[in-house]
Amino acid sequence: MPALPSGIPVPDDGGLPAWARPSLVEPVETRVSTGSTSDARPFGVYVHVPFCTVRCGYCDFNTYTASELGGGANQAAYATTALREVSLARQVLADAGRTPAAVSTVFFGGGTPTMLPAEDLARVLTGIKDAWGLADPSTGSGQAVEVTTEANPDSVTPESLRVLADAGFTRVSFGMQSAVPHVLATLERTHDPLRIPDVVRWAKDAGLDVSLDLIYGTPGESLDDWRTSVEAALATGVDHVSAYALVVEPGTKMAAQVRRGEVTLPDEDDQAAKYELADDLITAAGLRWYEVSNWSRPGHECRHNVGYWRGDDWWGVGPGAHSYVSAPASAAEPGDGEPDGDEPPAGVRWWNVKHPRAYATRLEAGQSPGAGRELLTREEAHLERVMLGVRLREGLDLGVLSAPGRTAVAGLVARGLLDGHAALGAGGVSPRALLTRRGRLLADAVVRDLTA
């Protein structure tokens, strides 16, 4: 697992910097039920559940098997521990005048969240609802809340999925990865690929939207293997598919296997061919890309992830979880012990301690589990906005770019990486940087040119 970044210490009470508090003249909405001011910006909550039955050889996420946890990290008590952080978060945001009008999206990730009893996941969701409320059109708080959990195909039952749906969950994202047994074996995935149609049906019967996650580029995976996996996913009739190229991170078991020559990674041409095949098959099935690695039918996009790509605020609950709060329009100079700068920061990002035992210990002592935080400069925030926003199907308004970035657009169009019509503002919309399919394959290079 990668180490956490270094950063500014987080206060024991988790308090936000003074400049993060809106001024009295900044527009706010008022929650009539409590009389408290609230922040109208979209707000998401991520809940990290750091438990897995086995550690897959390619995975460097902050997850732990039972043998890795050691003493003092009680999986059975995890929901109670997470709720302690929700309570802390509620107080921190209230003290800063940043209480959200309602939670727009909730995402339970991991790890394998569904290793916890469904009743525990439901209890955490209830705690989030009690803290801030969940978006509900009938109360004027925007589009209905989206609540997603990740799951392994072998970690759910029809009964557990019904419990989740009854508690307010709206989506489940299954880690399918592949439909080919030898590919799953290389990835050290434990589920039977024949179980995928069953779990999709169970989830749909419970009233849940379903997404399937796929990985391409596994050592030993042929183009026909990949076709088999994509076609098997689409045969279930899901409304959302994610397809990610395998990235072998340093320090993982698979990285050691590659170093020793035990497995061979595919080349870039193989990866590109598999991406193009997936795009062809998924598009033909009626789904369209809305982010470089994600396709859905209209209205079935993962709004939580879109919130990340658009720079919305979120609170991350759990060991190693990251959070972000943007600066209000009225942000003052840094001050209050933070590093001085020539202009107010664009936002603050922080991260929790990684190990579940340290996380639980801090919360039990009434302390923030925050390990460090950083202030994003306007320049850093702009870079992230371009880097993430250009990945979306809606594209990036050219007005966001610097003068050199706008100058680079013509060359990117000429190279077939950006859509020329979108760049000219065809269709009555503002000129935008919109990736072509070739541009999606070379998105990092496009970002480099747009931010040079």
Side-chain angles (χ1 to χ4, degrees):
M1 286 177 279
L4 287 172
S6 59
I8 304 164
V10 176
D12 284 347
D13 65 0
L16 298 180
W19 53 260
R21 186 179 183 88
S23 74
L24 295 177
V25 297
E26 185 172 358
V28 295
E29 292 186 356
T30 299
R31 296 180 72 177
V32 176
S33 61
T34 64
S36 64
T37 59
S38 59
D39 194 326
R41 281 166 282 210
F43 181 75
V45 177
Y46 172 75
V47 181
H48 186 67
V49 180
F51 308 119
C52 283
T53 54
V54 297
R55 174 173 293 282
C56 300
Y58 63 91
C59 180
D60 74 335
F61 291 171
N62 187 41
T63 62
Y64 302 84
T65 63
S67 62
E68 294 171 332
L69 275 173
N74 189 341
Q75 184 173 319
Y78 186 73
T80 297
T81 304
L83 286 170
R84 287 193 177 104
E85 187 178 0
V86 171
S87 179
L88 172 77
R90 180 180 184 276
Q91 189 61 53
V92 167
L93 292 175
D95 288 347
R98 299 298 295 271
T99 298
V103 173
S104 308
T105 62
V106 184
F107 195 103
F108 288 73
T112 307
T114 43
M115 275 192 66
L116 296 184
E119 292 79 6
D120 280 4
L121 299 179
R123 188 155 62 93
V124 175
L125 179 59
T126 297
I128 293 168
K129 179 180 180 180
D130 291 344
W132 299 295
L134 303 179
D136 182 350
S138 68
T139 63
S141 57
Q143 190 175 357
V145 68
E146 172 194 272
V147 183
T148 304
T149 186
E150 294 180 334
N152 283 342
D154 54 4
S155 67
V156 298
T157 65
E159 294 74 23
S160 68
L161 291 166
R162 283 196 295 269
V163 170
L164 294 176
D166 290 345
F169 283 75
T170 63
R171 294 179 78 247
V172 59
S173 179
F174 288 115
M176 175 180 172
Q177 317 313 2
S178 175
V180 179
H182 80 83
V183 175
L184 289 173
T186 300
L187 293 172
E188 298 185 87
R189 302 292 293 184
T190 59
H191 67 269
D192 180 348
L194 297 179
R195 187 178 173 87
I196 297 296
D198 291 334
V199 297
V200 170
R201 185 179 68 256
W202 298 342
K204 288 184 173 183
D205 287 348
L208 297 167
D209 277 357
V210 184
S211 175
L212 292 177
D213 285 0
L214 299 172
I215 290 178
Y216 60 92
T218 299
E221 178 189 60
S222 69
L223 192 62
D224 283 342
D225 288 337
W226 176 236
R227 177 186 291 274
T228 295
S229 295
V230 176
E231 290 178 341
L234 295 171
T236 66
V238 294
D239 296 315
H240 190 286
V241 174
S242 300
Y244 300 104
L246 178 66
V247 176
V248 180
E249 299 289 354
T252 60
K253 178 181 177 181
M254 185 172 285
Q257 292 173 319
V258 172
R259 188 173 61 251
R260 293 192 297 263
E262 296 171 5
V263 297
T264 302
L265 293 176
D267 59 27
E268 291 182 357
D269 289 342
D270 179 87
Q271 297 277 50
K274 287 172 180 171
Y275 181 89
E276 291 175 334
L277 176 61
D279 189 49
D280 287 340
L281 294 173
I282 297 171
T283 300
L287 288 72
R288 67 175 191 173
W289 79 278
Y290 70 94
E291 190 274 340
V292 168
S293 300
N294 291 272
W295 294 256
S296 77
R297 302 187 201 281
H300 293 271
E301 301 83 359
C302 178
R303 291 193 284 119
H304 185 84
N305 286 341
V306 171
Y308 293 146
W309 297 319
R310 289 179 177 166
D312 292 345
D313 293 357
W314 81 90
W315 192 291
V317 173
H322 285 57
S323 303
Y324 175 74
V325 173
S326 58
S330 59
E333 295 298 326
D336 83 332
E338 304 289 5
D340 293 329
D342 295 331
E343 61 180 356
V348 56
R349 178 185 291 129
W350 68 96
W351 46 90
N352 288 343
V353 294
K354 291 186 67 172
H355 198 281
R357 182 168 61 250
Y359 172 76
T361 298
R362 290 201 185 190
L363 286 165
E364 287 167 1
Q367 297 178 343
S368 165
R373 69 186 183 193
E374 62 182 351
L375 308 183
L376 268 69
T377 66
R378 301 285 167 172
E379 182 179 356
E380 290 167 337
H382 175 264
L383 175 62
E384 290 191 2
R385 183 176 181 187
V386 175
M387 180 177 65
L388 298 175
V390 79
R391 296 177 64 87
L392 296 171
R393 184 184 183 91
E394 64 198 43
L396 184 72
D397 193 311
L398 295 188
V400 171
L401 300 175
S402 64
R406 291 192 295 273
T407 300
V409 169
L412 291 167
V413 170
R415 291 160 56 193
L417 302 180
L418 290 180
D419 184 283
H421 295 292
L424 293 172
V429 299
S430 59
R432 311 189 76 75
L434 175 62
L435 295 173
T436 62
R437 184 158 84 169
R438 183 164 181 264
R440 283 184 264 158
L441 290 168
L442 298 170
D444 290 345
V446 173
V447 170
R448 282 195 297 271
D449 284 4
L450 293 180
T451 57

